[in-house]
Amino acid sequence: MSLNWEHRLTHNETNQPFLDVLSGTVMPVPPVWMMRQAGRYLPEYRDLRAKAGSFLDLCFTPEFAAEVTLQPIRRFNFDAAIIFSDILVVPHALGRSVRFEAGEGPRLDPLDTPDKIKTLSSAADFSILEPVYEALRRVRQELDRRITLIGFCGAPWTVATYMVAGQGTPDQAPARMLAYRDPTSFAKVIDVLVENSIEYLLGQLEAGADVLQIFDTWAGILPPREFERWSIEPTQRIVEGVLKKAPGTKIIGFPRGAGAMLPSYVDRTGVNGVSIDWAAEPSLIRERVQSKVAVQGNLDPLVLIAGGEALDRAIDDVLANYASGRFIFNLGHGIQPETPIAHVEQMLNRVRRHKT
Ligand code: CP3
């Protein structure tokens, strides 16, 4: 792949508050965006979603994907836009036939035996992902230069949990079991995901992403030894692989539920920032995480549905815990479809009034 990084400006030239925080600056008012900010809580998203047909049609039609990426920016003027896609487009490009069934979440052909894993192709068909790159180019063109465009992928562990089980499960037991019973086969799935995720992330950078995020939604269900092997190590290899070709790229990790494993995740992966979930312990985060990298989070998405004084109190707690360090305000996980838009506005007003 030929790489052209010339269009990627340094944070000083772009003047993006979000990038400044990832470079170590403490902002008086933290930049803010929301995980899953383009989604079903927005009527304009639901309209376009109905027009597009399937969820993957929405992801792979650049005009539509660019439009839903920009919808929350127009409405709320967030400091970052995240490209509208899904972590499961990578297994899709690896030929694993991904479908999203209405109301049921993703469905894939289960990759749950060593024999099936032997047939897994080692290189994705990146032409399938070209519409994502085209959507990135369109969004970067339209987006105010001060707003950061985030490209992303799933961490190999999390993507593998869906590939093995063929769907989401409450505790991703099928992948955990396969990793115990046949670590060599499971490592092949992880290795294929590492290599193809590096390629995919570099493609997103070249298409206009300013920063990258790696979502490891299911990291927190692993015991420490497995966490090191299946979450930290593959993520570290992705960070290294991206930086080798695109030095200086800022990368955020999200090892959801990592708890007391977060400091070693940060030390060993080399990420520039971490998303934290709402159960994170503030003094551990401040002393052993925020002292080294930027922190992003961590309002409970449920309190954003509840609203009222409970929401004000929870926002103030997040700000009191983290806003005096390098900090990006976000939710601790994705916004839920039933969230009232007025509560998002209440959140933004309160965060943006904040001065350290
Ligand atoms: O944040 C954004 O606005 C960008 C888009 C985005 C989506 N998925 C769109 C989406 C991002 C960053 C993701 C990441 C993702 N996808 C993760 C990691 C982060 C997380 O939320 O934990 C995971 C585990 C997935 C896999 C996935 N995709 C599941 C389990 C589901 C079904 C659950 C659900 O929310 O419906 C999806 C579908 C999905 N991905 C939707 C959206 C907007 C809803 C589909 C729809 O609109 O019909």
Side-chain angles (χ1 to χ4, degrees):
M1 183 167 66
S2 80
L3 297 174
N4 168 20
W5 312 112
E6 261 86 273
H7 66 281
R8 293 179 55 239
L9 307 170
T10 69
H11 70 279
N12 293 323
E13 292 165 281
T14 59
N15 196 23
Q16 295 179 1
F18 186 102
L19 269 183
D20 288 346
V21 172
L22 288 176
S23 303
T25 309
V26 177
M27 301 296 287
V29 175
V32 47
W33 69 286
M34 298 190 304
M35 226 181 280
R36 295 281 184 100
Q37 64 191 15
R40 287 164 292 188
Y41 72 108
L42 290 177
E44 59 268 36
Y45 172 86
R46 295 195 296 269
D47 286 351
L48 203 65
R49 171 83 171 80
K51 226 167 100 185
S54 79
F55 175 72
L56 280 183
D57 287 337
L58 184 55
C59 292
F60 290 142
T61 308
E63 184 195 339
F64 291 165
E67 174 59 22
V68 291
T69 302
L70 291 164
Q71 283 172 348
I73 307 301
R74 291 198 197 103
R75 210 186 245 274
F76 304 116
N77 195 27
F78 287 120
D79 295 281
I82 182 161
I83 190 64
F84 189 82
S85 182
D86 197 84
I87 63 168
L88 299 178
V89 299
V90 170
H92 184 71
L94 284 165
R96 298 308 304 166
S97 133
V98 177
R99 305 161 312 276
F100 285 84
E101 316 252 317
E104 285 186 43
R107 292 287 181 277
L108 302 82
D109 296 334
L111 191 66
D112 50 3
T113 65
D115 280 348
K116 287 191 204 166
I117 290 171
K118 279 196 196 103
T119 69
L120 177 65
S121 88
S122 57
D125 176 357
F126 281 92
S127 69
I128 290 177
L129 301 172
E130 176 54 37
V132 180
Y133 301 151
E134 176 57 21
L136 278 158
R137 285 190 281 270
R138 287 177 186 224
V139 172
R140 192 55 280 178
Q141 187 113 35
E142 275 197 43
L143 200 61
D144 187 305
R145 283 268 20 138
R146 285 165 299 181
I147 299 177
T148 300
L149 178 55
I150 306 171
F152 71 89
C153 71
W157 163 249
T158 286
V159 176
T161 62
Y162 291 98
M163 289 173 77
V164 171
Q167 61 182 65
T169 66
D171 53 5
Q172 304 298 58
R176 283 158 63 205
M177 190 64 98
L178 184 68
Y180 286 127
R181 286 200 167 134
D182 194 343
T184 310
S185 293
F186 189 67
K188 181 186 167 190
V189 180
I190 295 291
D191 290 347
V192 166
L193 289 170
V194 166
E195 293 311 320
N196 286 283
S197 300
I198 293 170
E199 190 82 4
Y200 181 46
L201 291 176
L202 288 168
Q204 293 185 63
L205 283 175
E206 198 185 14
D210 300 302
V211 305
L212 301 171
Q213 178 148 348
I214 302 172
F215 289 96
D216 212 349
T217 305
W218 290 99
I221 53 169
L222 291 169
R225 177 194 293 274
E226 306 296 300
F227 181 86
E228 287 185 16
R229 179 157 187 194
W230 306 121
S231 175
I232 291 180
E233 274 179 32
T235 303
Q236 184 273 327
R237 285 162 60 200
I238 292 177
V239 171
E240 192 178 280
V242 168
L243 292 181
K244 203 165 134 197
K245 292 258 175 71
T249 301
K250 301 290 181 241
I251 305 177
I252 304 168
F254 178 39
R256 184 171 70 114
M261 296 298 288
L262 253 176
S264 63
Y265 175 92
V266 165
D267 291 342
R268 292 185 43 207
T269 58
V271 293
N272 307 96
V274 271
S275 271
I276 55 170
D277 58 79
W278 61 86
E281 203 284 301
S283 66
L284 174 123
I285 297 296
R286 277 195 302 266
E287 286 157 28
R288 298 183 54 204
V289 177
Q290 201 175 23
S291 53
K292 296 177 175 164
V293 296
V295 163
Q296 174 173 277
N298 71 338
L299 191 76
D300 185 345
L302 281 195
V303 84
L304 193 58
I305 300 174
E309 281 176 29
L311 175 56
D312 284 345
R313 200 164 49 236
I315 293 165
D316 292 350
D317 283 346
V318 170
L319 292 169
N321 284 333
Y322 305 113
S324 58
R326 43 192 123 165
F327 183 58
I328 296 160
F329 194 97
N330 203 314
L331 310 184
H333 198 197
I335 183 170
Q336 308 234 1
E338 59 271 43
T339 310
I341 285 169
H343 295 181
V344 177
E345 286 161 352
Q346 181 183 339
M347 177 191 86
L348 281 170
N349 289 335
R350 205 163 179 93
V351 173
R352 289 181 166 154
R353 261 201 348 242
H354 176 81
K355 291 262 185 303
T356 46

